[in-house]
Amino acid sequence: MQTLILTLHVVACLALIVLVLLQSGKEGMGVIFGGGNTSLFGSTGAGGMLAKLTAFLAVLFIITSLSYNVLTSSRKSDDSTILDVKLEDVQPAPAAPVAPAAPAVPAPAAPAEQKSN
């Protein structure tokens, strides 16, 4: 189901981009700064086939966006996260037994001085 909605969403996105780019502007830059007609859809009414198809694809885009969001957020992930991990009580590790000290090896004795008589 998620794959179907995601595919439909991508197709609607691409078609919406193409349809918006195909439409011509109404009056140029004057519309941006408040110029132009005061009617809701301009002087030509609700628009032709491109405008109606663009509105349909915009509604489809919103519906697929919301439905994909609902489908992916309600699904519980099987993967664990750091928030799911319970911390264990930290207990100090038992001290390792101390091995008996090895006997020190005596240093080699210096050669004894010979006594002369």
Side-chain angles (χ1 to χ4, degrees), residues 60-76:
L60 183 67
F61 173 79
I62 297 296
I63 290 172
T64 56
S65 296
L66 292 175
S67 60
Y68 188 73
N69 188 17
V70 168
L71 281 177
T72 57
S73 66
S74 65
R75 184 177 55 118
K76 176 82 173 145

PDB file of all heavy atoms in Angstrom, residues 60-76:
ATOM      1  N   LEU A  60      -4.807  15.851  -5.301  1.00  0.00           N
ATOM      2  CA  LEU A  60      -4.227  14.507  -5.237  1.00  0.00           C
ATOM      3  C   LEU A  60      -2.884  14.518  -4.507  1.00  0.00           C
ATOM      4  O   LEU A  60      -2.588  13.617  -3.717  1.00  0.00           O
ATOM      5  CB  LEU A  60      -4.065  13.936  -6.649  1.00  0.00           C
ATOM      6  CG  LEU A  60      -3.541  12.513  -6.747  1.00  0.00           C
ATOM      7  CD1 LEU A  60      -4.564  11.541  -6.182  1.00  0.00           C
ATOM      8  CD2 LEU A  60      -3.200  12.175  -8.179  1.00  0.00           C
ATOM      9  N   PHE A  61      -2.086  15.545  -4.746  1.00  0.00           N
ATOM     10  CA  PHE A  61      -0.801  15.688  -4.063  1.00  0.00           C
ATOM     11  C   PHE A  61      -0.992  15.800  -2.549  1.00  0.00           C
ATOM     12  O   PHE A  61      -0.294  15.138  -1.773  1.00  0.00           O
ATOM     13  CB  PHE A  61      -0.076  16.929  -4.597  1.00  0.00           C
ATOM     14  CG  PHE A  61       1.184  17.266  -3.864  1.00  0.00           C
ATOM     15  CD1 PHE A  61       2.354  16.578  -4.107  1.00  0.00           C
ATOM     16  CD2 PHE A  61       1.199  18.276  -2.908  1.00  0.00           C
ATOM     17  CE1 PHE A  61       3.517  16.888  -3.426  1.00  0.00           C
ATOM     18  CE2 PHE A  61       2.353  18.588  -2.231  1.00  0.00           C
ATOM     19  CZ  PHE A  61       3.518  17.892  -2.484  1.00  0.00           C
ATOM     20  N   ILE A  62      -1.934  16.611  -2.115  1.00  0.00           N
ATOM     21  CA  ILE A  62      -2.195  16.783  -0.677  1.00  0.00           C
ATOM     22  C   ILE A  62      -2.707  15.480  -0.069  1.00  0.00           C
ATOM     23  O   ILE A  62      -2.278  15.077   1.020  1.00  0.00           O
ATOM     24  CB  ILE A  62      -3.209  17.926  -0.448  1.00  0.00           C
ATOM     25  CG1 ILE A  62      -2.638  19.246  -0.924  1.00  0.00           C
ATOM     26  CG2 ILE A  62      -3.616  18.011   1.014  1.00  0.00           C
ATOM     27  CD1 ILE A  62      -1.411  19.709  -0.174  1.00  0.00           C
ATOM     28  N   ILE A  63      -3.604  14.807  -0.766  1.00  0.00           N
ATOM     29  CA  ILE A  63      -4.160  13.548  -0.237  1.00  0.00           C
ATOM     30  C   ILE A  63      -3.077  12.486  -0.106  1.00  0.00           C
ATOM     31  O   ILE A  63      -2.995  11.784   0.914  1.00  0.00           O
ATOM     32  CB  ILE A  63      -5.323  13.062  -1.127  1.00  0.00           C
ATOM     33  CG1 ILE A  63      -6.520  13.996  -0.957  1.00  0.00           C
ATOM     34  CG2 ILE A  63      -5.716  11.633  -0.782  1.00  0.00           C
ATOM     35  CD1 ILE A  63      -7.644  13.719  -1.932  1.00  0.00           C
ATOM     36  N   THR A  64      -2.243  12.337  -1.131  1.00  0.00           N
ATOM     37  CA  THR A  64      -1.186  11.322  -1.045  1.00  0.00           C
ATOM     38  C   THR A  64      -0.141  11.696   0.006  1.00  0.00           C
ATOM     39  O   THR A  64       0.411  10.816   0.670  1.00  0.00           O
ATOM     40  CB  THR A  64      -0.503  11.119  -2.406  1.00  0.00           C
ATOM     41  OG1 THR A  64      -0.012  12.368  -2.880  1.00  0.00           O
ATOM     42  CG2 THR A  64      -1.453  10.497  -3.407  1.00  0.00           C
ATOM     43  N   SER A  65       0.122  12.982   0.184  1.00  0.00           N
ATOM     44  CA  SER A  65       1.075  13.401   1.223  1.00  0.00           C
ATOM     45  C   SER A  65       0.571  13.027   2.609  1.00  0.00           C
ATOM     46  O   SER A  65       1.301  12.454   3.430  1.00  0.00           O
ATOM     47  CB  SER A  65       1.301  14.917   1.167  1.00  0.00           C
ATOM     48  OG  SER A  65       1.895  15.291  -0.030  1.00  0.00           O
ATOM     49  N   LEU A  66      -0.689  13.353   2.875  1.00  0.00           N
ATOM     50  CA  LEU A  66      -1.257  13.066   4.191  1.00  0.00           C
ATOM     51  C   LEU A  66      -1.410  11.563   4.428  1.00  0.00           C
ATOM     52  O   LEU A  66      -1.128  11.068   5.533  1.00  0.00           O
ATOM     53  CB  LEU A  66      -2.607  13.763   4.338  1.00  0.00           C
ATOM     54  CG  LEU A  66      -2.556  15.291   4.398  1.00  0.00           C
ATOM     55  CD1 LEU A  66      -3.958  15.873   4.418  1.00  0.00           C
ATOM     56  CD2 LEU A  66      -1.749  15.757   5.589  1.00  0.00           C
ATOM     57  N   SER A  67      -1.865  10.822   3.408  1.00  0.00           N
ATOM     58  CA  SER A  67      -2.060   9.381   3.607  1.00  0.00           C
ATOM     59  C   SER A  67      -0.731   8.655   3.787  1.00  0.00           C
ATOM     60  O   SER A  67      -0.635   7.722   4.589  1.00  0.00           O
ATOM     61  CB  SER A  67      -2.854   8.788   2.446  1.00  0.00           C
ATOM     62  OG  SER A  67      -2.160   8.983   1.239  1.00  0.00           O
ATOM     63  N   TYR A  68       0.302   9.076   3.072  1.00  0.00           N
ATOM     64  CA  TYR A  68       1.609   8.440   3.276  1.00  0.00           C
ATOM     65  C   TYR A  68       2.152   8.751   4.660  1.00  0.00           C
ATOM     66  O   TYR A  68       2.751   7.893   5.312  1.00  0.00           O
ATOM     67  CB  TYR A  68       2.594   8.897   2.193  1.00  0.00           C
ATOM     68  CG  TYR A  68       3.899   8.145   2.227  1.00  0.00           C
ATOM     69  CD1 TYR A  68       3.952   6.825   1.801  1.00  0.00           C
ATOM     70  CD2 TYR A  68       5.057   8.723   2.716  1.00  0.00           C
ATOM     71  CE1 TYR A  68       5.133   6.109   1.844  1.00  0.00           C
ATOM     72  CE2 TYR A  68       6.239   8.018   2.758  1.00  0.00           C
ATOM     73  CZ  TYR A  68       6.273   6.717   2.315  1.00  0.00           C
ATOM     74  OH  TYR A  68       7.442   6.014   2.379  1.00  0.00           O
ATOM     75  N   ASN A  69       1.917   9.949   5.129  1.00  0.00           N
ATOM     76  CA  ASN A  69       2.349  10.315   6.472  1.00  0.00           C
ATOM     77  C   ASN A  69       1.626   9.483   7.526  1.00  0.00           C
ATOM     78  O   ASN A  69       2.234   9.014   8.486  1.00  0.00           O
ATOM     79  CB  ASN A  69       2.102  11.813   6.706  1.00  0.00           C
ATOM     80  CG  ASN A  69       2.704  12.285   7.994  1.00  0.00           C
ATOM     81  OD1 ASN A  69       3.557  11.633   8.574  1.00  0.00           O
ATOM     82  ND2 ASN A  69       2.253  13.431   8.442  1.00  0.00           N
ATOM     83  N   VAL A  70       0.333   9.279   7.356  1.00  0.00           N
ATOM     84  CA  VAL A  70      -0.434   8.477   8.314  1.00  0.00           C
ATOM     85  C   VAL A  70       0.031   7.024   8.289  1.00  0.00           C
ATOM     86  O   VAL A  70       0.195   6.391   9.339  1.00  0.00           O
ATOM     87  CB  VAL A  70      -1.944   8.582   8.012  1.00  0.00           C
ATOM     88  CG1 VAL A  70      -2.737   7.549   8.784  1.00  0.00           C
ATOM     89  CG2 VAL A  70      -2.431   9.982   8.344  1.00  0.00           C
ATOM     90  N   LEU A  71       0.251   6.478   7.100  1.00  0.00           N
ATOM     91  CA  LEU A  71       0.672   5.076   7.005  1.00  0.00           C
ATOM     92  C   LEU A  71       2.045   4.836   7.628  1.00  0.00           C
ATOM     93  O   LEU A  71       2.263   3.815   8.280  1.00  0.00           O
ATOM     94  CB  LEU A  71       0.704   4.626   5.546  1.00  0.00           C
ATOM     95  CG  LEU A  71      -0.623   4.265   4.919  1.00  0.00           C
ATOM     96  CD1 LEU A  71      -0.449   3.911   3.458  1.00  0.00           C
ATOM     97  CD2 LEU A  71      -1.253   3.101   5.656  1.00  0.00           C
ATOM     98  N   THR A  72       2.961   5.739   7.426  1.00  0.00           N
ATOM     99  CA  THR A  72       4.319   5.510   7.945  1.00  0.00           C
ATOM    100  C   THR A  72       4.440   5.830   9.419  1.00  0.00           C
ATOM    101  O   THR A  72       5.276   5.252  10.101  1.00  0.00           O
ATOM    102  CB  THR A  72       5.352   6.326   7.160  1.00  0.00           C
ATOM    103  OG1 THR A  72       5.011   7.701   7.214  1.00  0.00           O
ATOM    104  CG2 THR A  72       5.432   5.857   5.718  1.00  0.00           C
ATOM    105  N   SER A  73       3.627   6.715   9.939  1.00  0.00           N
ATOM    106  CA  SER A  73       3.762   7.071  11.358  1.00  0.00           C
ATOM    107  C   SER A  73       3.050   6.081  12.266  1.00  0.00           C
ATOM    108  O   SER A  73       3.424   5.922  13.415  1.00  0.00           O
ATOM    109  CB  SER A  73       3.241   8.481  11.614  1.00  0.00           C
ATOM    110  OG  SER A  73       1.855   8.529  11.393  1.00  0.00           O
ATOM    111  N   SER A  74       2.029   5.390  11.777  1.00  0.00           N
ATOM    112  CA  SER A  74       1.287   4.470  12.637  1.00  0.00           C
ATOM    113  C   SER A  74       1.940   3.101  12.722  1.00  0.00           C
ATOM    114  O   SER A  74       1.571   2.294  13.550  1.00  0.00           O
ATOM    115  CB  SER A  74      -0.144   4.327  12.125  1.00  0.00           C
ATOM    116  OG  SER A  74      -0.139   3.729  10.853  1.00  0.00           O
ATOM    117  N   ARG A  75       2.895   2.830  11.895  1.00  0.00           N
ATOM    118  CA  ARG A  75       3.552   1.521  11.877  1.00  0.00           C
ATOM    119  C   ARG A  75       4.660   1.495  12.909  1.00  0.00           C
ATOM    120  O   ARG A  75       5.535   2.342  12.922  1.00  0.00           O
ATOM    121  CB  ARG A  75       4.120   1.252  10.481  1.00  0.00           C
ATOM    122  CG  ARG A  75       4.729  -0.115  10.338  1.00  0.00           C
ATOM    123  CD  ARG A  75       5.184  -0.313   8.922  1.00  0.00           C
ATOM    124  NE  ARG A  75       6.090   0.729   8.502  1.00  0.00           N
ATOM    125  CZ  ARG A  75       7.342   0.536   8.137  1.00  0.00           C
ATOM    126  NH1 ARG A  75       7.827  -0.674   8.124  1.00  0.00           N
ATOM    127  NH2 ARG A  75       8.102   1.528   7.764  1.00  0.00           N
ATOM    128  N   LYS A  76       4.626   0.525  13.784  1.00  0.00           N
ATOM    129  CA  LYS A  76       5.654   0.351  14.791  1.00  0.00           C
ATOM    130  C   LYS A  76       6.850  -0.323  14.161  1.00  0.00           C
ATOM    131  O   LYS A  76       6.726  -1.357  13.530  1.00  0.00           O
ATOM    132  CB  LYS A  76       5.111  -0.489  15.950  1.00  0.00           C
ATOM    133  CG  LYS A  76       6.103  -0.815  17.018  1.00  0.00           C
ATOM    134  CD  LYS A  76       6.259   0.314  17.993  1.00  0.00           C
ATOM    135  CE  LYS A  76       7.138  -0.160  19.137  1.00  0.00           C
ATOM    136  NZ  LYS A  76       7.977   0.848  19.639  1.00  0.00           N
TER     137      LYS A  76
END
